[in-house]
Amino acid sequence: MFSSLKVRNYRLFFMGQVVSNIGTWMQRIAQDWLVLSLTGSATAVGVTTALQFLPMLLFGLYGGVLVDRLPKRRTLLFTQSAMALTGIALAVLSLSGHVQVWHVYVAAFAVGLATVVDNPARQTFVSEMVGPDQLQNAVSLNSANFQSARLIGPAVAGVMITGVGTGWAFLFNGLSFVAPLAGLLLMRSRELHAVERAPRGKGQLREGLRYVAGRPDLIWTIVLVGFVSTFGFNFPVYLSAFADDVFHAGAGSYSLFNTLMAVGSLAGALLAARRGTARMRVLVAGAAAFGAMEIVAAAAPSLWLFALLMAPIGMFGMTVNVTANSSVQLGADPAMRGRVMALYMMVFMGGAPVGAPIAGWITDAYGVRAGMAAGGAVSAAAAVTVGLVLARMGDLRLSVGWHHGYPSVRFVPRAQRELAAVV
């Protein structure tokens, strides 16, 4: 389960990310709270979030082009330093009492700009640290790392904001980047897996898009992730509405739902690390199970049953995320990996701004149970459709029978099924 941590360079990277991810979650909570306290407007909080994700939607593919051209380690030193300075700037403004809402808007947009390059650089640098054999394990541990911070960061931020104010949470985040920067500086260059960088030239963005379009295994994986993230991952809409409108339980239950989902996500990441390989059938089955569990949760009659279902939903959602991420990285040519991962992250992260208004409209018009069930149905239907398309392209057929005394449903090569029919 933790085999990639035997690699010294990745171990340094992982430990640095443990500290930095906690700081990142603390800044997210502090940032939203600060905007709300300055304006009293939930819309202003939404604007802040939109500004942070807008650069990825606008410039994400160009970030991938840059990542394919530049050395990943030096690129990460620059982007991580930029995000550290943003946190420290907000801390100084907050602690000095001069902070205004437009300062937070600018800081959020600046973090988003850094993320345009930082995200694909971090994703692709993992393969340079551990090599192809350990990539699935390392990607899974990265996700487990992030989900662990999701459990710790908001709790620490809540205590810090209540006790000493938002400025100290920003300061912690800014200083937390010392850990990943130190890890990057302490790495041994000779132990990195050399990857050929793309030369500077015209048309590299179009070249990357043509490359993905010509690879069915990549394009259908990204399509599936796009449907799941756009229609299935609208939990801020669903969970808040279930807590307030369905169960009338308030903010405490909303926090409980998110915590149990984070626990399930952590378990899903660790199980993915244990598997060691990324298989398309795991991706398709995980997406189908995720959609089915959302439909079941939408019909849950009690708060506690709904809360308990958050754990498997988080687990299957993380299975989709980790399996798709590692299969896309392993399947892409190293010289194209930055552009491919930029497209993947753009689809994955860009789904929320598109899907959330749709989910909100269905919820307002037909109720949150219908909204969540619709999101699950679209995710499950996308999984089944992509599974059938990939099976057809791979000349596979559905085989239903018995295996070691148990019912078995699986895809087998067409020739194998025809031979079995003859025998």
Side-chain angles (χ1 to χ4, degrees):
M1 188 179 290
F2 303 101
S3 58
S4 57
L5 290 176
K6 295 176 183 177
V7 180
R8 179 182 179 275
N9 284 342
Y10 179 70
R11 190 163 61 247
L12 289 169
F13 177 84
F14 183 88
M15 290 188 294
Q17 291 299 309
V18 168
V19 179
S20 179
N21 283 335
I22 292 173
T24 297
W25 277 106
M26 289 177 66
Q27 173 141 332
R28 287 187 183 184
I29 300 299
Q31 179 177 275
D32 292 347
W33 187 259
L34 176 61
V35 171
L36 193 61
S37 64
L38 288 172
T39 65
S41 168
T43 301
V45 177
V47 169
T48 308
T49 303
L51 286 171
Q52 191 157 329
F53 286 99
L54 184 62
M56 180 61 76
L57 291 175
L58 296 177
F59 312 118
L61 293 176
Y62 294 98
V65 172
L66 287 175
V67 167
D68 279 337
R69 291 177 184 171
L70 301 172
K72 312 293 188 297
R73 187 178 169 198
R74 278 187 242 165
T75 301
L76 287 171
L77 285 169
F78 175 79
T79 57
Q80 299 274 295
S81 298
M83 288 190 282
L85 291 174
T86 303
I88 292 172
L90 278 177
V92 171
L93 289 167
S94 298
L95 293 172
S96 65
H98 294 99
V99 68
Q100 298 178 38
V101 69
W102 70 267
H103 294 145
V104 186
Y105 288 164
V106 171
F109 191 75
V111 170
L113 283 175
T115 303
V116 166
V117 177
D118 183 82
N119 215 315
R122 273 190 298 110
Q123 299 285 338
T124 54
F125 188 52
V126 172
S127 62
E128 293 189 24
M129 287 184 284
V130 302
D133 294 340
Q134 294 287 352
L135 182 60
Q136 162 86 9
N137 183 265
V139 169
S140 303
L141 291 183
N142 280 350
S143 298
N145 187 333
F146 188 76
Q147 294 303 323
S148 300
R150 182 182 174 186
L151 293 172
I152 299 169
V156 176
V159 172
M160 188 171 286
I161 291 169
T162 303
V164 293
T166 56
W168 293 99
F170 293 132
L171 183 61
F172 181 94
N173 179 54
L175 296 178
S176 72
F177 284 96
V178 171
L181 290 171
L184 289 167
L185 291 171
L186 290 171
M187 287 181 185
R188 296 170 181 162
S189 299
R190 65 181 181 276
E191 294 179 8
L192 294 173
H193 295 254
V195 174
E196 182 182 355
R197 297 203 301 270
R200 185 179 180 86
K202 293 182 179 180
Q204 290 181 323
L205 178 56
R206 292 191 300 273
E207 182 186 11
L209 293 174
R210 282 197 300 268
Y211 174 78
V212 173
R215 290 286 305 274
D217 56 329
L218 298 180
I219 193 65
W220 285 110
T221 298
I222 293 173
V223 166
L224 178 55
V225 167
F227 272 100
V228 173
S229 64
T230 300
F231 298 100
F233 280 7
N234 294 302
F235 295 111
V237 176
Y238 301 144
L239 301 189
S240 58
F242 263 97
D244 191 43
D245 300 334
V246 177
F247 299 123
H248 310 289
S253 62
Y254 178 60
S255 176
L256 174 65
F257 298 157
N258 280 283
T259 299
L260 289 174
M261 185 174 291
V263 170
S265 298
L266 177 60
L270 292 175
L271 288 172
R274 187 178 180 84
R275 277 194 298 272
T277 56
R279 297 181 182 274
M280 288 302 297
R281 65 187 182 193
V282 174
L283 172 62
V284 171
F290 171 81
M293 292 304 299
E294 275 203 325
I295 296 172
V296 172
S302 68
L303 184 149
W304 289 108
L305 178 58
F306 181 83
L308 290 174
L309 287 169
M310 292 302 101
I313 286 175
M315 183 180 70
F316 289 123
M318 184 54 62
T319 298
V320 173
N321 185 10
V322 170
T323 307
N325 188 311
S326 52
S327 64
V328 168
Q329 286 205 57
L330 284 168
D333 185 275
M336 290 283 185
R337 194 169 285 152
R339 280 163 282 183
V340 173
M341 288 308 298
L343 177 61
Y344 170 84
M345 294 306 300
M346 196 170 127
V347 170
F348 180 72
M349 298 174 67
V354 176
I358 298 174
W361 175 78
I362 295 175
T363 298
D364 289 339
Y366 303 102
V368 65
R369 292 189 185 276
M372 190 170 185
V378 171
S379 300
V384 172
T385 302
V386 170
L388 292 173
V389 169
L390 291 174
R392 184 177 180 82
M393 293 177 66
D395 201 27
L396 301 176
R397 288 290 190 88
L398 186 67
S399 174
V400 180
W402 292 84
H403 184 68
H404 297 302
Y406 294 94
S408 172
V409 180
R410 55 180 178 160
F411 285 104
V412 298
R414 187 190 302 268
Q416 179 178 330
R417 181 172 177 176
E418 290 173 352
L419 178 62
V422 172
V423 174

